Amino acid sequence: MTTRILIIEDEKPIREMIRFALEREGYAVDEAGDAAEATSRISRQRPDLMLVDWMLPEVSGVNLIRSLRRNEINRDIPVIMLTARGEESDKVTGLEAGADDYMSKPVAIKELLARIRALLRRSRGFSQEETLQAGIIKLNIATHQITINEQAVHFGQTEYRLLKFFLQHPERVYSRGQLLDLVWGETVYVEERTVDVHILRLRKLLKPYGVESMVQTVRGAGYRFSQAVES
Ligand code: CA
């Protein structure tokens, strides 16, 4: 599987220079010029790693990372922060916001590639064995694969996120608004009814295996994922 890297940087020449170097190494590369564009790209296709420039227009790179880290799904995307600032206190701020590594600009490409490889190794080491499970449902966080009763089942992106969230937070009731914040992310505007649509799709995917009742409607409150049979 190709490793996908998202470059978030408002200076086009730098973005293109990095893109060229990464593509030569066999990475698939996406670009975003600001935080809003980055957020929409991430929601469409989750990158395996992100390079985030500190100084972005509107929302800064640091604040972008902070908001991504608050979101359950994007919490574990590895991030290397790029910055023209070289001060130690900036480095600390970047790392505290949730960056995994930090590089000063101008970016030395060889060093950047080495840091990317190291970070990917580290993050894969953590997540490779990370399989979430509930009964016959298994979700592999590293490969994004879902099997039910040992059979691979294809999930759409949103259904995947929903199921992942539920597997990580079983036996608790979440309102539609909470699910929107935690699964879709605060920066994305969607109606609460959208949640119902995707819950319906999720149940439909689980139904052939007789496990759709794990996704439970709690009247007047929201939804709960539970292995206990509804009474
Ligand atoms: Ca910049």
Side-chain angles (χ1 to χ4, degrees), residues 5-6 21-23 36 56 58 74 77 92 98 102 104 111 116 164 188 201 208:
I5 297 179
L6 175 61
L22 293 179
E23 284 182 340
L56 293 170
E58 316 278 332
N74 301 324
I77 302 175
V92 171
Y102 184 97
S104 300
E111 186 188 348
I116 287 172
K164 183 180 172 195
V188 180
R201 288 192 196 155

Side-chain angles (χ1 to χ4, degrees), residues 47-64:
D48 298 297
L49 186 144
M50 290 186 292
L51 304 176
V52 183
D53 180 35
W54 182 301
M55 300 294 277
L56 293 170
E58 316 278 332
V59 179
S60 75
V62 169
N63 285 334
L64 170 65

Side-chain angles (χ1 to χ4, degrees), residues 9-11 53 55:
E9 158 72 82
D10 56 319
E11 285 158 83
D53 180 35
M55 300 294 277

Side-chain angles (χ1 to χ4, degrees), residues 132-146:
L132 303 169
Q133 185 172 3
I136 57 170
I137 304 172
K138 283 184 198 166
L139 181 152
N140 185 312
I141 293 176
T143 62
H144 284 216
Q145 260 185 342
I146 294 170

Side-chain angles (χ1 to χ4, degrees), residues 8 16 44 91 117-118 129 207 220:
I8 306 159
E16 286 180 343
R44 263 176 286 151
K91 181 174 173 180
R117 280 194 296 270
E129 299 148 81
K207 199 169 185 234

